[in-house]
Amino acid sequence: MATDDSNAAGFGEVSRVRGIAFEYLSLGASVAGLVALGVLLVYVAIDAFDLANASPEWLLTYFLTLVVPFLLFCLYSAGDPAVTRRVAGVLGGGLVVVAAAFAAIEAFVVTIPRLSWQLAYLFVVVAPTTAYLAYVGSRGRVGAVGFGLLGRLVGGVAIGLAVGTLFLVFDELVWFLAYTLGVLPAAALYAYGSRRAANRAVTAAIPVGLVGLVAAVFLRGVVGTYPSDLIIYLWTLAVPIAAVGAFLVDARGSRVGAAVVGGVPLALATAGGFLAGSVGLPGPTTLIVIALTGVPTAVYVHRVIDGGDGVVGLGLPLLIGGGVLVGALVVEAWGVPAPDPWLDPGYVTEAPSRTAAEAGLYPAIVGSVIIIALVAVLSFVLGVGTSVFLEEYTAGSGVVGSLTRLLQINIANLAAIPSVVYGLLGLGLFANLLGFGYGTAVTASLTLSLLILPITIISAQEAIRSVPDDLRRGSDAMGATRWQTTKNVVLPEAFPGILTGTILALGRAIGETAPLIMIGAATTVFSAPTSLFSRFSAMPMQIYAWAGFPQADFRYGVVAAGVITLLIILVGMNGTAILLRNRAERGN
Amino acid sequence: MSNTSSNTTGDESLITTDVETGSNGRTASSERTAVAARDLNVFYGDEQAIDDVSIEIPEKRVTALIGPSGCGKSTFLRCINRMNDMIEVCRVEGDVEFGGKNVYDPDVDPVALRRKIGMVFQKPNPFPKSIRDNVAYGLKIQGFDGDVDERVEESLKGAALWDEVKDQLDSSGLDLSGGQQQRLCIARAIAPDPEVILMDEPTSALDPVAASKIEDLIDDLAEEYTVIIVTHNMQQAARISDRTAVFLTGGRLVEYDDTAKIFEDPEEQRVEDYITGKFG
């Protein structure tokens, strides 16, 4: 009958109802999911920072000293009157809408717990606007410079802390020997070889480095006296970092700049390292943090000043630091009630405690960082190795080909096995059979590596498969061996994709609890692990334990602070990996 | 082979291109053989791709392989540097001699063989690396111990690309235009100083201007290298090659002679039909 109609009235109509219904249903579902997650995170943040007790005056002060200057900075960087008008409209209109909606809900529907209309305004309007403006502002030159500097400062501190944490469990004396005997000679040979185009020196670098590493392990017990920890960190980390920074600046043709960029952070780091003890900070970690923050920052500042474009942006860290300081002074002078956040310096530097106010996450953070570092290395190396083998080396037919296919199918199936089962495997294999001990960091790392290995392998295979065959044939035709083709052409091209998969997999590993419970990891330990075979706890375990405490302070404040810490570390880790990936992609 | 002189005066060329300009004054007779095939048969599974081909390709000349699609000319090209080894179902019978040695002898390492034979593909395939690293690639993997930068410059000059890229050696090879990319691939192929350069339809993905640059370049390359080129473009074969081999369906080498002879007075009617465009 439809045909009859269409004959009468032109082409007629085709029904699109199902498509439109599907479109809006899926849109609604995603929005509902996001809103639910957003509300959860808002409440977690409110609990962690005790924002429910923040007075309106306190919020207003920091809004004026911190948020408004930051927004102005971004607007200045964007330099677009249309954006300025839009932002002003959203902030002003949002205030009215949120306040009215909040009042209406409170009056007619239900009282909203632990949330004032000011806070709701901050979370619903100001936070997204700030994020949007940060994005828009970072595309202007001034903003890019500001965020670049900020990123290097924060990233340097984070990486410095992570490296310092790793040295809690790794023997710095072995590292000292390995660096002096292996890494340094190998790097020197490599640098010399690439500069003079002497292939033999470059080829010799790897064996020299390996021999040095083996010698280091062997000599560790033989050598009796070592320099102090501070000297070791200075010699093995701070000096090389400063040297690399100076070299980068020198390559831009500035001798004086190179001396300053290398020398000043090095001097600061040395001074910081030796003085840290007097204020109760760990000297070696302070030294590493200052060196890892200072040198990249100095290199960046030199580059910006050298380029002469967007120099104003360098003021962004000052703007933010100054905002926090001024805000604190005003609040102090005004005497308005300030919130008492659960997530404070004490929380991340102290051990768990019976009382909620003194509870800290430090041992669990160290445990998680160590496990994740090991898992990242293990799963990356094993995952890439396996996927290269499966994609580049195995034959497609014959007995080997069938075996490969069997392996492929099984790897895909392994990815679907529940994590508890992997916990059982870790318990049986690593803890019992190999004797790595129950609930030790090394058992946990190996178990979690096994858990995410299938995901890493599958995504790395996908990335390797997407490298065009043209490139392989081009390399083969030049007379490259399979290994040379893989190393020089396939892996560099597949690297961003491999990294993406690894990031996702690591995100899963850092949040895993079930396998840790199975291998006997403690929910609470009171001191940070001191070796790979120490008992340890991880952040999700500790958070889970706290959630079961009877006191409300634990269940709300302390748990929320733990969740925020976990999320910050996860986001930081992923952010670093994404930056690395983007850099690799740009390199192409 | 003998009757070329008697025919040239009376006959029109079958195609309009001036054949003489392409030969560059090189005579195609009485020189050493670079590559030779004897009774070569190649199968992909049950299907025969090359049927009993015997051919002697002269040194430092341009030899064109022409013929319709699927006639085995690319397969033949890939037999010379054993790139067919990569195809699992491919089976080769007979000899391909290069440097007085059958490349299919069991003691020949195909990787070592390919280091003496450069190859340029249909689609430009520079590596996603800097221009310098692209050209230096062969040197790097072969452990070249001399001055890499000097060799890179020489090769880029040899590929007529130096003037266009000398200020941007560190930018990516993928930033170049298609024609430049193909010349970069040629520079990459000649950098390790091979003896033979194989080209598999090197201009078919390029515009006419870029293609003509490559053609000029091929002419120059023949001063130093043996060039074997597969092409679908009859005019191109006529312009640039000294010798032409015509493959027809079924992988048979139908006629192989001086280019002038093939294009002006082929022995076989089928060859004449093919190059005048009656089929294929």
Side-chain angles (χ1 to χ4, degrees):
Chain A
M1 54 181 192
T3 16
D4 291 346
D5 287 349
S6 68
N7 284 343
F11 297 111
E13 270 189 39
V14 180
S15 168
R16 289 180 180 75
V17 173
R18 278 181 214 169
I20 292 170
F22 174 75
E23 184 185 341
Y24 283 101
L25 273 177
S26 41
L27 184 68
S30 353
V31 169
L34 281 178
V35 167
L37 189 63
V39 169
L40 172 77
L41 287 182
V42 164
Y43 271 102
V44 168
I46 288 176
D47 285 346
F49 294 103
D50 192 29
L51 290 176
N53 291 329
S55 58
E57 295 88 346
W58 187 88
L59 289 174
L60 182 68
T61 309
Y62 277 105
F63 182 68
L64 290 179
T65 61
L66 193 59
V67 180
V68 171
F70 178 75
L71 293 181
L72 289 178
F73 173 85
C74 294
L75 286 173
Y76 170 75
S77 170
D80 184 352
V83 173
T84 313
R85 275 196 301 276
R86 211 179 303 149
V87 166
V90 168
L91 287 180
L95 186 63
V96 176
V97 171
V98 169
F102 195 87
I105 294 175
E106 291 258 88
F108 300 115
V109 188
V110 65
T111 43
I112 301 174
R114 288 180 291 150
L115 200 61
S116 60
W117 68 265
Q118 293 98 333
L119 271 179
Y121 174 64
L122 279 183
F123 279 113
V124 176
V125 179
V126 177
T129 313
T130 311
Y132 166 72
L133 259 191
Y135 169 70
V136 174
S138 69
R139 290 162 73 181
R141 180 65 195 154
V142 173
V145 166
F147 287 113
L149 186 62
L150 208 59
R152 278 165 180 80
L153 284 170
V154 176
V157 172
I159 295 174
L161 286 175
V163 172
T165 307
L166 290 182
F167 274 110
L168 289 177
V169 292
F170 290 106
D171 188 357
E172 67 270 15
L173 302 182
V174 170
W175 163 239
F176 167 70
L177 289 174
Y179 174 80
T180 314
L181 299 176
V183 178
L184 188 63
L189 263 180
Y190 185 81
Y192 170 81
S194 346
R195 183 170 281 193
R196 295 287 161 81
N199 266 315
R200 226 167 279 155
V202 175
T203 328
I206 291 174
V208 166
L210 287 179
V211 169
L213 294 184
V214 173
V217 175
F218 176 71
L219 287 176
R220 166 68 180 89
V222 180
V223 178
T225 45
Y226 289 94
S228 78
D229 282 1
L230 264 182
I231 302 288
I232 290 180
Y233 291 122
L234 188 65
W235 158 240
T236 60
L237 290 167
V239 169
I241 295 166
V244 169
F247 175 77
L248 287 177
V249 172
D250 191 47
R252 279 185 231 132
S254 165
R255 277 283 150 88
V256 183
V260 172
V261 163
V264 171
L266 190 60
L268 281 177
T270 314
F274 281 102
L275 295 178
S278 56
V279 291
L281 289 172
T285 304
T286 312
L287 180 125
I288 297 172
V289 168
I290 297 180
L292 270 170
T293 315
V295 175
T297 311
V299 171
Y300 188 68
V301 169
H302 180 269
R303 193 169 83 206
V304 170
I305 293 177
D306 208 33
D309 198 10
V311 181
V312 190
L314 295 178
L316 181 60
L318 284 181
L319 191 77
I320 290 176
V324 172
L325 201 67
V326 171
L329 288 176
V330 170
V331 167
E332 184 80 31
W334 199 353
V336 295
D340 178 20
W342 294 103
L343 182 54
D344 55 8
Y347 184 79
V348 292
T349 53
E350 278 162 27
S353 158
R354 269 172 197 286
T355 60
E358 285 170 15
L361 196 58
Y362 177 67
I365 295 177
V366 173
S368 275
V369 168
I370 287 161
I371 291 172
I372 282 303
L374 278 180
V375 169
V377 173
L378 283 173
S379 64
F380 190 78
V381 172
L382 286 175
V384 172
T386 312
S387 52
V388 164
F389 166 75
L390 287 174
E391 284 302 311
E392 301 288 321
Y393 276 87
T394 52
S397 61
V399 182
V400 185
S402 316
L403 271 177
T404 310
R405 266 193 298 282
L406 192 71
L407 209 59
Q408 291 268 27
I409 294 167
N410 277 306
I411 288 172
N413 287 336
L414 283 178
I417 287 181
S419 54
V420 171
V421 180
Y422 277 101
L424 200 60
L425 176 66
L427 181 70
L429 182 62
F430 301 122
N432 273 338
L433 195 65
L434 298 178
F436 291 146
Y438 301 99
T440 59
V442 65
T443 307
S445 309
L446 290 170
T447 310
L448 288 182
S449 302
L450 272 191
L451 170 70
I452 64 167
L453 205 50
I455 311 176
T456 327
I457 293 174
I458 291 171
S459 57
Q461 269 187 296
E462 221 39 75
I464 289 173
R465 220 173 287 156
S466 71
V467 174
D469 245 2
D470 284 358
L471 295 181
R472 289 194 186 84
R473 295 293 90 86
S475 175
D476 291 339
M478 295 297 299
T481 59
R482 187 78 61 88
W483 171 247
Q484 285 172 326
T485 300
T486 306
K487 184 181 115 214
N488 294 317
V489 176
V490 177
L491 282 183
E493 184 70 357
F495 183 69
I498 293 176
L499 215 50
T500 309
T502 313
I503 294 169
L504 290 175
L506 284 181
R508 182 172 171 201
I510 196 175
E512 275 296 347
T513 328
L516 298 185
I517 296 175
M518 288 302 289
I519 59 158
T523 50
T524 305
V525 293
F526 293 94
S527 58
T530 52
S531 86
L532 284 179
F533 293 95
S534 316
R535 311 253 315 152
F536 80 101
S537 183
M539 283 189 278
M541 297 280 290
Q542 181 66 66
I543 293 170
Y544 172 71
W546 277 333
F549 276 33
Q551 301 97 317
D553 273 355
F554 271 109
R555 280 184 284 121
Y556 290 95
V558 178
V559 166
V563 170
I564 295 282
T565 317
L566 181 59
L567 284 179
I568 288 176
I569 289 181
L570 188 68
V571 168
M573 209 175 71
N574 286 358
T576 317
I578 289 170
L579 280 181
L580 261 179
R581 183 190 69 194
N582 290 352
R583 181 152 287 210
E585 272 174 349
R586 253 205 320 276
N588 291 347
Chain B
M1 185 84 208
S2 54
N3 56 0
T4 350
S5 50
S6 60
N7 279 324
T8 32
T9 39
D11 279 16
E12 302 162 9
S13 279
L14 293 173
I15 60 168
T16 50
T17 325
D18 178 7
V19 180
E20 295 308 321
T21 54
S23 310
N24 237 1
R26 292 187 295 268
T27 49
S29 52
S30 71
E31 66 274 286
R32 295 169 55 203
T33 299
V35 175
R38 281 186 234 300
D39 308 325
L40 185 70
N41 288 285
V42 179
F43 304 87
Y44 291 124
D46 296 333
E47 203 170 321
Q48 186 154 15
I50 290 187
D51 186 0
D52 219 16
V53 167
S54 296
I55 187 172
E56 290 192 350
I57 295 173
E59 202 173 44
K60 298 195 178 172
R61 293 288 178 273
V62 179
T63 303
L65 311 179
I66 63 173
S69 299
C71 69
K73 53 196 190 306
S74 290
T75 301
F76 176 75
L77 199 71
R78 286 198 301 268
C79 282
I80 300 174
N81 64 349
R82 288 188 58 174
M83 288 292 278
N84 280 338
D85 292 14
M86 314 269 170
I87 304 165
E88 289 198 16
V89 293
C90 181
R91 186 160 51 84
V92 178
E93 289 169 5
D95 292 357
V96 176
E97 274 178 23
F98 166 66
K101 174 98 186 145
N102 178 13
V103 301
Y104 283 95
D105 274 352
D107 61 337
V108 170
D109 178 358
V111 170
L113 170 75
R114 289 183 202 123
R115 294 185 176 188
K116 299 207 176 303
I117 300 179
M119 188 162 189
V120 178
F121 295 81
Q122 176 174 9
K123 210 174 125 223
N125 59 349
F127 301 129
K129 300 170 182 287
S130 71
I131 293 173
R132 185 200 314 277
D133 289 348
N134 260 291
V135 181
Y137 186 77
L139 306 175
K140 186 181 163 195
I141 58 172
Q142 298 186 20
F144 178 70
D145 238 351
D147 186 341
V148 173
D149 284 345
E150 190 186 309
R151 188 64 85 82
V152 167
E153 184 178 335
E154 269 172 28
S155 309
L156 283 169
K157 280 178 177 160
L161 191 59
W162 174 252
D163 290 333
E164 291 160 62
V165 302
K166 64 183 171 201
D167 299 324
Q168 45 167 357
L169 290 178
D170 288 316
S171 61
S172 169
L174 296 176
D175 293 343
L176 299 174
S177 71
Q180 288 175 323
Q181 287 189 6
Q182 193 61 300
R183 277 179 283 153
L184 180 62
C185 292
I186 293 176
R188 182 176 74 189
I190 62 178
D193 201 23
E195 289 165 36
V196 177
I197 300 175
L198 309 177
M199 296 188 169
D200 193 354
E201 301 182 44
T203 62
S204 64
L206 304 179
D207 70 86
V209 177
S212 91
K213 280 190 184 163
I214 303 270
E215 286 184 13
D216 292 345
L217 178 58
I218 291 170
D219 229 24
D220 297 338
L221 288 176
E223 303 283 329
E224 274 189 69
Y225 306 101
T226 306
V227 178
I228 307 175
I229 177 170
V230 166
T231 177
H232 269 297
N233 181 331
M234 235 63 72
Q235 281 86 353
Q236 184 176 67
R239 274 194 300 267
I240 63 174
S241 69
D242 303 297
R243 303 271 289 174
T244 298
V246 185
F247 286 72
L248 289 180
T249 316
R252 270 183 289 277
L253 174 61
V254 180
E255 193 164 349
Y256 173 53
D257 211 327
D258 287 356
T259 299
K261 169 85 166 71
I262 296 274
F263 280 92
E264 283 166 25
D265 181 26
E267 299 277 325
E268 294 256 348
Q269 185 60 37
R270 284 183 299 164
V271 172
E272 183 172 335
D273 288 349
Y274 176 67
I275 59 184
T276 52
K278 286 197 180 132
F279 81 96

